[in-house]
Amino acid sequence: MESRIVNLRSKLDVYKAMTDGGNIADCPVRDVIQGLNGKWSSLLVMALAEKPYRFGELRRLVPDISQRMLTQTLYDLQRDGYVHREVFPTKPPSVEYSLTDLGRSMFGPLYELVQWAELNHDAVRGARAAFDARI
Amino acid sequence: MESRIVNLRSKLDVYKAMTDGGNIADCPVRDVIQGLNGKWSSLLVMALAEKPYRFGELRRLVPDISQRMLTQTLYDLQRDGYVHREVFPTKPPSVEYSLTDLGRSMFGPLYELVQWAELNHDAVRGARAAFDARI
DNA sequence: CAGAATCCAAACTGATACTG
DNA sequence: CAGTATCAGTTTGGATTCTG
């Protein structure tokens, strides 16, 4: 674990260079990770990783998302190439959303982070409680 | 890779249950991942993963962050237990920020995602360009 | 069914000025 | 040096209404 972090140090210099002299827009953290930063992006990718869903199904699956945010987040995910949108010209129409290959390849690392979050959820809650109590 | 995803399917049901019937606040994606969603959180964790930095050093390292956002993001990261803040009572005072054990353990998965972002940055840019051209 | 359009409230962010 | 305080602009998000 420690050696792994040490190995990564040289890679981190990339981000220093980007912030120092290079073009900030070329920083993957800013340009890619931040695109996944929306309130619902990760959750929807998680859902679609299981199987394709239709619009209404997703809405019921994530009941605290508004229609506007579901539409917009799916649009953004589609634009970045993570999600494929397929319209079936039935009456009334149905639309199916699924992960693209790019989206599936991103799900791997994302899920690692989600697993970490699940495992350390209590630690984070504890840290918050301790911090708030100390103030 | 495929079998790995299949193995994860049962885990994903957890999130369905949470959204369906369970308490939404207990969803780690909502309660932990979204806390890392700030514009600067990931970037600062990346920087601090290399070594501890002082406030002014971080500012120079990430030149497009405002003082306000640096203060606030470090505060939030500290509250969630990722960052340790140590004040040295010199004149003028100096404050050093470093990752906690929890923060370092989170850096692993986070860096996986950052590596993915770096590797697929062009693919994402291409998807955006293609999408925008098609409209 | 799957959205588009509109309006409004809240949150986020930055610029500036000030302080121990 | 490392903040805090205040204000203004921008973005985000939700509720509602309407449409093919």
Side-chain angles (χ1 to χ4, degrees):
Chain A
M1 179 55 167
E2 180 55 32
S3 70
R4 183 164 153 240
I5 289 188
V6 169
N7 285 340
L8 299 181
R9 293 235 170 117
S10 59
K11 300 284 278 177
L12 289 175
D13 290 337
V14 174
Y15 299 93
K16 276 205 291 183
M18 279 172 177
T19 53
D20 263 336
N23 186 3
I24 278 177
D26 287 337
C27 170
V29 177
R30 288 177 173 77
D31 199 38
V32 181
I33 304 286
Q34 282 181 10
L36 296 168
N37 270 0
K39 192 171 177 183
W40 306 106
S41 311
S42 329
L43 210 53
L44 290 178
V45 170
M46 295 288 297
L48 292 175
E50 191 196 11
K51 70 182 189 68
Y53 280 109
R54 288 175 50 188
F55 188 86
E57 292 177 318
L58 283 172
R59 247 197 122 170
R60 284 185 291 279
L61 206 57
V62 186
D64 53 339
I65 194 174
S66 68
Q67 187 194 50
R68 187 195 197 299
M69 282 301 102
L70 182 54
T71 303
Q72 184 177 310
T73 305
L74 287 171
Y75 181 91
D76 293 342
L77 290 173
Q78 193 194 349
R79 178 170 182 266
D80 280 5
Y82 304 131
V83 163
H84 173 69
R85 176 179 184 269
E86 186 153 13
V87 183
F88 297 97
T90 55
K91 267 188 231 172
S94 77
V95 181
E96 189 182 84
Y97 293 91
S98 56
L99 287 191
T100 62
D101 287 343
L102 187 64
R104 265 187 296 277
S105 84
M106 194 256 307
F107 172 74
L110 176 65
Y111 189 68
E112 299 290 317
L113 194 60
V114 170
Q115 272 189 309
W116 181 92
E118 206 175 338
L119 211 58
N120 295 275
H121 195 173
D122 282 340
V124 172
R125 281 197 269 225
R128 281 177 196 156
F131 187 85
D132 292 346
R134 211 174 40 69
I135 293 184
Chain B
M1 179 56 164
E2 181 53 35
S3 68
R4 184 163 152 240
I5 289 189
V6 170
N7 285 339
L8 299 180
R9 293 235 171 117
S10 59
K11 301 283 278 178
L12 289 175
D13 290 336
V14 173
Y15 299 93
K16 276 203 292 180
M18 280 171 175
T19 52
D20 263 336
N23 185 3
I24 278 177
D26 288 337
C27 170
V29 177
R30 289 177 173 79
D31 199 39
V32 181
I33 305 284
Q34 282 182 9
L36 296 168
N37 270 359
K39 192 172 176 181
W40 306 107
S41 310
S42 329
L43 210 54
L44 290 178
V45 170
M46 295 287 297
L48 292 175
E50 191 195 11
K51 69 181 187 70
Y53 280 109
R54 289 175 50 188
F55 189 86
E57 291 176 319
L58 283 172
R59 244 197 124 169
R60 284 186 290 279
L61 206 58
V62 186
D64 54 337
I65 194 173
S66 69
Q67 191 193 45
R68 183 192 185 344
M69 281 301 103
L70 182 54
T71 303
Q72 185 176 308
T73 306
L74 286 171
Y75 182 91
D76 293 342
L77 290 173
Q78 192 193 350
R79 178 170 182 267
D80 279 5
Y82 303 132
V83 162
H84 172 69
R85 177 180 184 268
E86 187 153 13
V87 184
F88 297 97
T90 56
K91 269 189 228 169
S94 78
V95 180
E96 190 182 83
Y97 293 91
S98 56
L99 287 191
T100 62
D101 287 343
L102 186 65
R104 265 187 297 277
S105 83
M106 195 253 311
F107 171 74
L110 176 66
Y111 188 69
E112 299 290 317
L113 193 60
V114 170
Q115 272 188 309
W116 181 92
E118 205 173 339
L119 210 59
N120 295 276
H121 194 173
D122 282 341
V124 172
R125 280 197 269 225
R128 283 177 196 154
F131 186 86
D132 293 345
R134 210 174 38 70
I135 294 185

